[in-house]
Amino acid sequence: MSGIALLFPGQGSQYKGMGVNTYKYESHTKRLMEEASDILGYDMYALCNTGEIEQLSRTSYTQPALLTMSMIAFHTYMHQIGIEPTFTAGHSLGEYSALVASEALSFQDGLRIVQQRGQFMENASQDHIGSMIAVRGIAVDELELLCMQHRTSEQPVVIACYNSPLQHVVAGHSQALERLTRSLEQQKVQMNRLSVSGPFHTILMQHAADRLATALHTQSFQQTRWPVISNVTAELYASDIHIVQGLIDQMTCAVKWQQSLLYMVANGIHTTVEIGPRNILTRLSEDIAPDLSGYAFDKEQDRHRLIQDYPVDVWIKECLAQSISLPNHNWNENEYAQGVIEPVQQLKQMLGYLTTSSSKDLNAADLRQQATAYLTQVMDTKQCNKINQKDVLTHQLVGGLA
């Protein structure tokens, strides 16, 4: 376990120019932009960089744009940092980014699905029947009670996002929201109406959920490369069937973000990296689990801090040190030469390569995998017992980096 979770933001984190200058020198940026443009039928670079903010803020455009920029950021993270996460999770739309990053979905299929999802949600909101409001500084039990008092069967209002102990999002029918708002104003509760087109994550999105279900049932999902947390259950997705149902339910059910982060902390997460525009999820993490280390990859200072805190050369040096210092239980000279001496020489060469290459030439994920593979080869050849192998690798992934 690396103890690191990658977090992917959702709708509301978009901004004009997002990621364009940040990642413009990365080789994958142009490729992913062009792929997105070809699939969607419009210029993704222009939408994110030079287009009108009104268009970028339309749900049907926002969602593919955020997925694209999140994947560009993810590839940059793997290129510059390269530490595989223990978990990934995404807030609402961000869950699709987490699934694409984990290889449950291809980038191309993910784009097509979120384009349809955005259109379904936008169409369902054309009658302006409802909206969403962020609420801060009221206990969740009290907020839930107020929602119960002000909703009816025809005019629902519910907590749509359990974001943190201090911040929640309520959504529902406009008239029910108005009644709720008046009660919150009397209590001087801090509120902010969100610039979204409808009451997402409520029963008012049922028609959009039904249409999305038809699209998702024709889509195949692969086994995830690393675990992904469901917004709806705040637990791991167990299979592709659960993923499909979770994405459908997400349309009408609340996002359990606070619960998701607490699940990850309870299962060994000590660091989060927010992969995508802004730092909204990093700020929420500070409210939920103040002891977590958080990095917002969209922020230049945080990217530099990540590189300094988790340098690739330290990883390789640790692999080299462990390879040399582990006790040997194999006295076959040929096996020792091939399984210990050669990997040690390769690790030394990798360190030499790092000192003579620029950071743009390096792929951190590949280097970390190669170094760990060499260390594993040495441990196998030296006939270290399996418990010791696990301890050494855990040290490499966690203790050797902290």
Side-chain angles (χ1 to χ4, degrees):
M1 288 179 59
S2 68
I4 292 177
L6 300 185
L7 310 180
F8 295 87
Q11 195 163 340
S13 59
Q14 72 276 3
Y15 62 90
K16 188 173 180 179
M18 58 177 179
V20 174
N21 291 324
T22 305
Y23 310 119
K24 64 182 177 180
Y25 296 116
E26 299 293 333
S27 59
H28 51 263
T29 299
K30 182 178 179 181
R31 173 177 59 82
L32 291 174
M33 283 283 195
E34 290 176 347
E35 283 186 32
S37 300
D38 291 342
I39 290 169
L40 301 171
Y42 54 81
D43 189 334
M44 179 59 71
Y45 178 85
L47 174 67
C48 293
N49 192 43
T50 60
E52 297 296 328
I53 189 62
E54 289 77 13
Q55 183 181 21
L56 181 60
S57 298
R58 282 183 54 188
T59 300
S60 57
Y61 287 95
T62 305
Q63 299 197 7
L66 283 173
L67 176 63
T68 300
M69 296 315 305
S70 292
M71 286 305 99
I72 289 173
F74 169 72
H75 282 282
T76 304
Y77 165 85
M78 293 302 288
H79 185 264
Q80 295 182 354
I81 311 299
I83 302 175
E84 294 192 357
T86 299
F87 299 111
T88 61
H91 191 286
S92 188
L93 167 73
E95 191 166 301
Y96 290 82
S97 299
L99 289 166
V100 172
S102 73
E103 300 178 4
L105 272 174
S106 69
F107 175 60
Q108 296 80 2
D109 287 341
L111 272 178
R112 295 185 183 97
I113 291 174
V114 300
Q115 183 183 40
Q116 290 178 300
R117 180 182 187 265
Q119 290 170 343
F120 297 154
M121 294 170 73
E122 196 171 284
N123 292 340
S125 306
Q126 285 180 347
D127 54 7
H128 304 291
I129 196 172
S131 58
M132 307 181 78
I133 297 174
V135 180
R136 188 172 182 87
I138 182 173
V140 64
D141 292 344
E142 187 176 356
L143 184 58
E144 287 176 336
L145 181 60
L146 286 173
C147 288
M148 289 179 61
Q149 292 174 351
H150 293 296
R151 68 173 171 243
T152 67
S153 57
E154 293 80 19
Q155 298 176 357
V157 61
V158 296
I159 298 179
C161 301
Y162 293 84
N163 283 342
S164 81
L166 302 178
Q167 200 244 56
H168 302 86
V169 174
V170 293
H173 192 280
S174 297
Q175 293 182 32
L177 266 179
E178 184 62 30
R179 294 191 293 270
L180 175 64
T181 299
R182 287 197 294 268
S183 291
L184 293 172
E185 286 175 343
Q186 291 175 359
Q187 299 186 37
K188 295 181 170 53
V189 174
Q190 182 180 344
M191 291 177 287
N192 178 38
R193 190 171 295 273
L194 302 184
S195 58
V196 296
S197 58
F200 304 151
H201 307 295
T202 74
I203 196 64
L204 296 174
M205 286 288 109
Q206 186 61 59
H207 181 62
D210 293 340
R211 296 187 67 188
L212 179 65
T214 301
L216 286 173
H217 282 305
T218 64
Q219 175 63 50
S220 60
F221 290 80
Q222 308 302 315
Q223 182 176 356
T224 58
R225 183 175 174 182
W226 38 69
V228 178
I229 309 294
S230 164
N231 278 189
V232 175
T233 66
E235 296 179 352
L236 301 182
Y237 277 123
S239 69
D240 58 344
I241 296 174
H242 291 91
I243 291 174
V244 170
Q245 192 58 51
L247 294 177
I248 296 168
D249 292 344
Q250 187 208 72
M251 297 285 280
T252 57
C253 296
V255 172
K256 296 180 179 178
W257 187 253
Q258 177 183 344
Q259 297 90 327
S260 297
L261 197 68
L262 290 175
Y263 175 91
M264 289 186 275
V265 171
N267 285 276
I269 293 301
H270 54 69
T271 300
T272 63
V273 183
E274 185 171 357
I275 305 292
R278 299 194 190 275
N279 62 342
I280 295 172
L281 300 182
T282 303
R283 295 203 311 270
L284 290 177
S285 297
E286 294 171 355
D287 292 340
I288 300 168
D291 292 336
L292 277 175
S293 296
Y295 302 83
F297 204 65
D298 195 44
K299 305 301 180 182
E300 183 177 5
Q301 181 178 358
D302 279 17
R303 287 197 308 279
H304 290 325
R305 191 158 57 93
L306 255 178
I307 293 171
Q308 292 174 355
D309 291 348
Y310 296 93
V312 178
D313 63 332
V314 171
W315 181 288
I316 299 173
K317 288 176 182 177
E318 281 289 328
C319 286
L320 179 60
Q322 293 289 347
S323 296
I324 294 172
S325 63
L326 279 171
N328 178 48
H329 303 283
N330 182 359
W331 306 109
N332 184 302
E333 293 185 4
N334 290 333
E335 291 180 2
Y336 190 88
Q338 293 179 4
V340 177
I341 295 176
E342 288 184 12
V344 167
Q345 292 300 319
Q346 291 293 333
L347 287 167
K348 291 179 178 179
Q349 289 179 18
M350 289 175 68
L351 281 175
Y353 173 72
L354 278 173
T355 61
T356 58
S357 302
S358 70
S359 59
K360 293 180 181 179
D361 298 328
L362 303 178
N363 187 310
D366 288 346
L367 292 173
R368 292 185 194 275
Q369 287 180 352
Q370 289 173 11
T372 306
Y374 288 137
L375 173 58
T376 302
Q377 184 181 1
V378 169
M379 290 190 297
D380 288 338
T381 303
K382 286 188 172 184
Q383 298 178 359
C384 301
N385 66 56
K386 296 299 181 182
I387 295 177
N388 286 344
Q389 285 194 24
K390 182 178 179 180
D391 289 344
V392 170
L393 286 173
T394 300
H395 175 74
Q396 280 304 119
L397 294 170
V398 184
L401 294 169

